[in-house]
Amino acid sequence: MNRSNRSYELYREACVLFPGCVNSPIRAAVEPYPFFVEKANGAYIYTVDGETLIDYVLGYGTLILGHRHPYIEKVLKNQIEKGWLYTTPIEAEVLLGKKIQSYVMRNGMIRFVNSGAEATLLAIRLARAYTRRKYIIKFNGCYHGAHDFVLVSAGSAAQHYGIPTSEGVLEDVAKYTLVAEFNDLSTVEYIFRNMGEQIAAIITEPVLGNMGVIPPDKDFLKGLRELCDRYSSLLIFDEVITGFRLGLGGAQQYYSVSADIVTLGKIVGGGFPIGVVVARKDIASLIAPQGKVFNAGTFNAHPISMIAGYATIEVLEKEPVHYYARLAAEKIVKAFQEASKENNIDIQINHVESMFQVFFIDKPVKNASDARNSNSVLYKKMQIELQKRGVFIAPSQFEAIFTSYAHVDEAVSKTIDSIHTVFKTIKNMSSG
Ligand code: PMP
């Protein structure tokens, strides 16, 4: 693989320290072992082995501006000189809060936490307190973070390792999480008909980004909204990936459906740890210290995350980030389509704005079962071959491929060339 041994040496040391040699399961999916990164810039990451890779993982959807956008770097340097942790409020959290309120929920209030998982945990606790009901509905293949309420039929790395429900999650907790099929309203209606009065909330990713990419069918999200209204349940959109990626207004604006609670993460922290709960004022006012739903955190509204997040939104407002990220995605999707056609390999591509995924299957992928039925071995081959040629896409088909503002010209052309070569290689492998 044209690598020096440095990554391997570090990997061997890591294996003695960290279970499975890594600190988050998906990282172990990079073969033959995870490369260690020295630095990154724009669309590129540079490994300790001297390799250069075009990055389509981008912090699993975080870095919509690419690595080291100069404006973000400037404001961060400026902040570092003033200290980086006060555990008492700063102006940047008010500034970022106002932006989020104006784009995500005008009649909403906000709590900053430190990860997407913390945000969905609080969102569900809040929904249960507000409705005084116990059950929630989630969808097969949706991933909402690594906590007990939602580690049931989960996607992302939980899917990759075949642990639909993690060991250690109490059945007494998991039984309150009911699972429906994405893009199949009848499965949701069935649950509501039987126990509608007990459902606190539906939680969903508006576009599945942890089963590859699976967009909602026309009217699916509207159908969820109507069911929640009919049964006085709350609708939670987990926009940890889609927030600020599908546009400044996220999936709510993109699909013209409003949620009662929205969770955010990734992009909104500008590359630093963050989670956000945005909820209608009457719901959010239950959060402590105003109300009795407890949440607290040493690092909540961390100054660096606030500063980087606010600066990111400023760039999204001023520069054509979404346009260029989408353009790059469109060009690359087209290359996948052409290369697969030329080599008679069946693929389906699901694509929304600057996120997409390639499935090796000959029929549309509309839910988790379709994604699981795709040929993940072929996906893995493609990923490994692309990586050998300097293109780093998600190491599992159950993640998304992302583009950024920094994916222009040279990086995109090189990617397109590599895609054509790799599909020829895959064809030869299967015929040979
Ligand atoms: N929700 C969604 C939709 C996600 O994609 C993720 C992470 N990929 C999470 C929640 C959890 O976020 P975090 O990893 O920051 O806890």
Side-chain angles (χ1 to χ4, degrees), residues 150-397:
V150 286
L151 272 181
V152 181
S153 297
S156 190
Q159 156 61 34
H160 191 73
Y161 286 87
I163 314 170
T165 303
S166 165
E167 285 186 20
V169 174
L170 299 179
E171 273 174 29
D172 282 346
V173 174
K175 75 179 183 199
Y176 293 111
T177 302
L178 308 171
V179 180
E181 271 314 317
F182 194 71
N183 279 333
D184 186 352
L185 268 186
S186 71
T187 62
V188 190
E189 276 162 2
Y190 177 81
I191 298 174
F192 270 105
R193 263 202 311 277
N194 284 291
M195 46 196 303
E197 317 299 312
Q198 298 175 69
I199 308 294
I202 298 177
I203 182 165
T204 190
E205 299 176 67
V207 176
L208 265 61
N210 289 285
M211 256 299 130
V213 171
I214 305 183
D217 281 347
K218 192 173 170 293
D219 295 337
F220 177 70
L221 299 175
K222 283 200 178 83
L224 297 183
R225 177 70 271 171
E226 280 163 23
L227 282 168
C228 285
D229 289 344
R230 196 180 317 154
Y231 289 93
S232 303
S233 303
L234 300 180
L235 182 59
I236 305 172
F237 274 179
D238 179 359
E239 294 223 46
V240 165
I241 289 181
T242 53
F244 293 96
R245 180 162 288 278
L246 304 193
L248 286 160
Q252 288 190 106
Q253 189 181 49
Y254 197 80
Y255 293 108
S256 303
V257 178
S258 304
D260 304 300
I261 306 178
V262 175
T263 52
L264 302 168
K266 301 199 192 244
I267 290 177
V268 80
F272 293 86
I274 198 165
V276 190
V277 175
V278 194
R280 253 173 32 208
K281 247 175 225 155
D282 56 323
I283 303 170
S285 58
L286 296 183
I287 300 174
Q290 192 169 338
K292 291 188 174 158
V293 175
F294 195 71
N295 164 268
T298 302
F299 296 124
N300 280 7
H302 192 288
I304 300 296
S305 308
M306 297 296 107
I307 296 273
Y310 181 67
T312 300
I313 295 180
E314 283 186 295
V315 176
L316 293 179
E317 287 172 333
K318 284 188 202 137
E319 299 181 33
V321 175
H322 290 110
Y323 173 79
Y324 280 107
R326 185 178 62 229
L327 198 66
E330 281 167 359
K331 287 182 184 168
I332 294 164
V333 163
K334 192 161 162 252
F336 274 116
Q337 277 159 345
E338 287 172 357
S340 64
K341 223 178 193 169
E342 280 160 18
N343 294 285
N344 282 324
I345 299 174
D346 283 328
I347 61 164
Q348 298 287 317
I349 301 189
N350 285 352
H351 173 203
V352 184
E353 293 290 300
S354 55
M355 58 191 282
F356 63 94
Q357 187 51 293
V358 179
F359 298 95
F360 287 87
I361 193 169
D362 57 3
K363 65 183 193 77
V365 176
K366 289 181 163 290
N367 57 35
S369 321
D370 296 336
R372 291 187 186 113
N373 285 335
S374 315
N375 189 336
S376 55
V377 176
L378 220 47
Y379 179 89
K380 194 72 215 173
K381 270 187 191 160
M382 172 182 78
Q383 187 266 322
I384 291 170
E385 291 301 317
L386 281 171
Q387 194 179 313
K388 280 186 198 163
R389 290 163 182 81
V391 176
F392 182 48
I393 62 167
S396 153
Q397 74 166 28

Side-chain angles (χ1 to χ4, degrees), residues 85-128:
L85 184 65
Y86 319 119
T87 49
T88 190
I90 61 165
E91 184 179 2
E93 73 195 64
V94 175
L95 294 175
L96 180 57
K98 276 163 105 175
K99 289 282 184 215
I100 292 172
Q101 193 183 49
S102 77
Y103 289 121
V104 179
M105 208 179 284
R106 284 187 182 278
N107 64 342
M109 290 176 86
I110 292 146
R111 168 61 51 94
F112 287 116
V113 291
N114 300 291
S115 66
E118 281 180 56
T120 63
L121 178 73
L122 176 58
I124 292 167
R125 184 180 292 157
L126 194 54
R128 286 177 166 150

